[in-house]
Amino acid sequence: MAQVDKVVIVVFDGLRPDMIAGRMPTLAGFLDDNLWFRNARSVFPSLTRVCTTSVSTGAWPGHHGIVNNQFHLNGDLRGPMVDTGRLDHLRGLEARTGAMVTADSLGQRLAAAGRSMLAIHCGSAGSGVLINHAVHEIGHQTFSIYGEAATLTPEIVPHILATCGPLPGHEVPKLDIVAYTGRVATEVALAQDQADVTVVWLPEPDTSFHFCGIHSEGTELAMRAADTAFAEILGAVSGGAHASSTAIVALSDHGQIATSALIDLAGLMRADGFRAGEAPGVDVDILMTGGNMGELRPMSPDPGLIADLGRWLMGRDEIGMVFADPALVTGALPPSVVHQTHARSAELLFVMRSDETPGPGGIPGIGVYTGGVPLGGGMHGGLNPFEMNTVLGFAVPGGRRGEIDQSPASLIDIAPTVLELFGMDHQAQGRVLPVLEPEPGIATVERLRATSGAFEQELVRAHIAGRDYLIEGGRV
Ligand SMILES: [Zn+2]
């Protein structure tokens, strides 16, 4: 195997691989010239903090325990909802359960072998924590664009400010933040040879997809800016001392689809007699979260209520998928098929209905949601193919070049593949991706269907090398 002594991981939050061509020439060239896993996939729910933790642990949510961006905590449902975007909430999760993340991280495994990792994180504070959750215990460093109060290693912030100047503002599109991220990556992380593994997390195009729309001038500018930052990072690697021994990984954590209709799901449930709400209260006995997908958690164990809720969801045209124990809810798929098997997982999960219809600008993928961004803005979280398909490209010294690999791959494969590049042991749920030579195995595809009356749903999974992959799912 080629000798790899550095790995640079660049994350384009929310980027859809079908939108790269014509908008991001540097990234398009990188993927064409190197190895592109064109069928790479996210995890479920396809939400940033869940995805971040799957990248950092090589594990499904059922193992790492960040089961949703926001979730009510089983065993303490009268306590506050956990908002994983917030550092104080993640600390609270640790205090309430004994662990923030329940799987070992790439950072921890690297540290055990004496290797270092620096994350330049310019998404939410919570995602910046989850990319290397034990960072302060293992002597690694994570910089957050939100400053010293938002990172577990605040000592790096003044060091970066001294080189790159004051932190930028958060205007959308986040052109200033993307440019600043590029400078931190090139002028501090790479120029000063800070770490064995450098993670650069760009908040775009995710933020612009959400708030400017997937098809908009702001989004075009954001994608161009992210591409420019990537070009600067590639230049810093190729001009640096480790050019011939650095592997580069480019990825996104999920895609997005356009929101086409907004419904007040909790209001509809209440109108039909279910005491649903987003926070505990005197008139609430079912806690819910929403978006493109959501959870329902009865505040007291109640199999009859789960059955009633499942039937009610399946009777709504706006609902795409329902996950619950099929013994309780006829027509549901078990949460285990999407790896929602954690003690923190909800008993009942739903996905809002979506399809591949062209949305604004003719870009395919639209869906119903329960709120969170302006109507028409982009959203994610569900199992639509345009939410699930992610960017994943590898440039590895001595590795495959000029190839598109159509085999399934996933966020959970990144950590074990990086460890393998360093010649280290890995015990992740993901597989080591065939970045040096094509693998002999052929993927099989499995279609799981479940039906109740007029409601019919299908989940497509793929299997290779003893692993399974979530390809897409929806109502049929
Ligand atoms: Zn994201």
Side-chain angles (χ1 to χ4, degrees), residues 237-304:
V237 171
S238 64
H242 303 274
S244 62
S245 56
T246 299
I248 300 168
V249 189
L251 67 122
S252 65
D253 51 345
H254 51 77
Q256 291 212 18
I257 58 174
T259 57
S260 57
L262 169 65
I263 66 161
D264 174 11
L265 196 66
L268 291 168
M269 293 175 67
R270 295 182 74 84
D272 282 348
F274 294 107
R275 291 153 51 92
E278 294 183 354
V282 288
D283 62 343
V284 171
D285 53 24
I286 304 158
L287 292 170
M288 73 170 289
T289 64
N292 275 13
M293 58 74 63
E295 306 175 343
L296 293 169
R297 299 178 192 249
M299 295 189 67
S300 307
D302 191 341

Side-chain angles (χ1 to χ4, degrees), residues 8-33:
V8 177
I9 300 172
V10 182
V11 185
F12 301 88
D13 201 306
L15 179 60
R16 282 173 52 155
D18 63 316
M19 291 181 64
I20 295 170
R23 296 181 176 90
M24 302 180 73
T26 302
L27 179 58
F30 173 87
L31 294 168
D32 285 343
D33 291 346

Side-chain angles (χ1 to χ4, degrees), residues 366-427:
I366 61 171
V368 184
Y369 76 133
T370 70
V373 299
L375 183 61
M379 253 301 200
H380 54 99
L383 289 153
N384 185 290
F386 295 106
E387 296 173 281
M388 290 299 287
N389 192 192
T390 57
V391 178
L392 185 55
F394 284 82
V396 175
R400 297 166 70 189
R401 288 180 51 83
E403 290 188 50
I404 293 177
D405 191 318
Q406 300 286 1
S407 64
S410 163
L411 301 179
I412 69 169
D413 299 334
I414 294 165
T417 304
V418 168
L419 291 169
E420 175 79 10
L421 288 172
F422 284 131
M424 291 169 56
D425 288 340
H426 39 79
Q427 294 175 318

Side-chain angles (χ1 to χ4, degrees), residues 54-398:
S54 285
V55 170
S56 71
T57 61
W60 294 102
H63 185 46
H64 66 56
I66 302 299
V67 296
N68 203 332
N69 262 5
Q70 299 181 322
F71 59 93
H72 299 278
L73 193 58
N74 291 343
D76 188 16
L77 290 174
R78 296 195 180 278
M81 181 174 74
V82 178
D83 178 352
T84 64
R86 291 176 50 170
L87 176 54
D88 58 333
H89 278 225
L90 289 170
R91 284 192 162 127
L93 176 63
E94 189 165 28
R96 291 160 77 186
T97 68
M100 184 190 300
V101 173
T102 55
D104 283 347
S105 67
L106 173 64
Q108 287 170 306
R109 288 175 190 149
L110 290 168
R115 289 193 179 271
S116 57
M117 177 165 147
L118 167 62
I120 308 298
H121 203 290
C122 298
S124 73
S127 179
V129 170
L130 294 167
I131 196 65
N132 193 358
H133 67 273
V135 62
H136 55 310
E137 297 159 18
I138 58 181
H140 289 181
Q141 291 196 302
T142 296
F143 165 78
S144 169
I145 197 71
Y146 289 91
E148 292 174 70
T151 170
L152 298 170
T153 54
E155 63 276 8
I156 192 172
V157 177
H159 176 69
I160 284 175
L161 296 183
T163 303
C164 300
L167 296 174
H170 288 255
E171 294 80 16
V172 177
K174 291 187 168 178
L175 306 181
D176 292 343
I177 287 182
V178 168
Y180 193 87
T181 312
R183 288 190 62 198
V184 176
T186 55
E187 296 175 24
V188 179
L190 297 172
Q192 299 177 13
D193 202 8
Q194 289 272 344
D196 299 313
V197 174
T198 303
V199 179
V200 183
W201 196 292
L202 295 160
E204 294 284 14
D206 184 77
T207 303
S208 291
F209 279 166
H210 280 308
F211 296 103
C212 304
I214 293 175
H215 177 71
S216 72
E217 186 183 349
T219 293
E220 297 284 327
L221 291 172
M223 294 176 78
R224 187 68 63 151
D227 198 57
T228 299
F230 186 53
E232 291 166 0
I233 292 165
L234 294 183
V237 171
S238 64
H242 303 274
S244 62
S245 56
T246 299
I248 300 168
V249 189
L251 67 122
S252 65
D253 51 345
H254 51 77
Q256 291 212 18
I257 58 174
T259 57
S260 57
L262 169 65
I263 66 161
D264 174 11
L265 196 66
L268 291 168
M269 293 175 67
R270 295 182 74 84
D272 282 348
F274 294 107
R275 291 153 51 92
E278 294 183 354
V282 288
D283 62 343
V284 171
D285 53 24
I286 304 158
L287 292 170
M288 73 170 289
T289 64
N292 275 13
M293 58 74 63
E295 306 175 343
L296 293 169
R297 299 178 192 249
M299 295 189 67
S300 307
D302 191 341
L305 182 56
I306 292 285
D308 290 344
L309 287 167
R311 266 195 302 275
W312 184 86
L313 288 168
M314 290 179 189
R316 302 273 341 171
D317 283 344
E318 303 92 342
I319 298 297
M321 303 192 78
V322 176
F323 297 97
D325 180 354
L328 293 178
V329 183
T330 303
L333 288 165
S336 59
V337 298
V338 286
H339 297 277
Q340 280 289 347
T341 51
H342 202 276
R344 298 174 185 168
S345 293
E347 215 176 337
L348 183 56
L349 298 106
F350 58 88
V351 178
M352 303 303 289
R353 195 166 188 170
S354 72
D355 58 40
E356 299 177 39
T357 301
I363 297 169
I366 61 171
V368 184
Y369 76 133
T370 70
V373 299
L375 183 61
M379 253 301 200
H380 54 99
L383 289 153
N384 185 290
F386 295 106
E387 296 173 281
M388 290 299 287
N389 192 192
T390 57
V391 178
L392 185 55
F394 284 82
V396 175

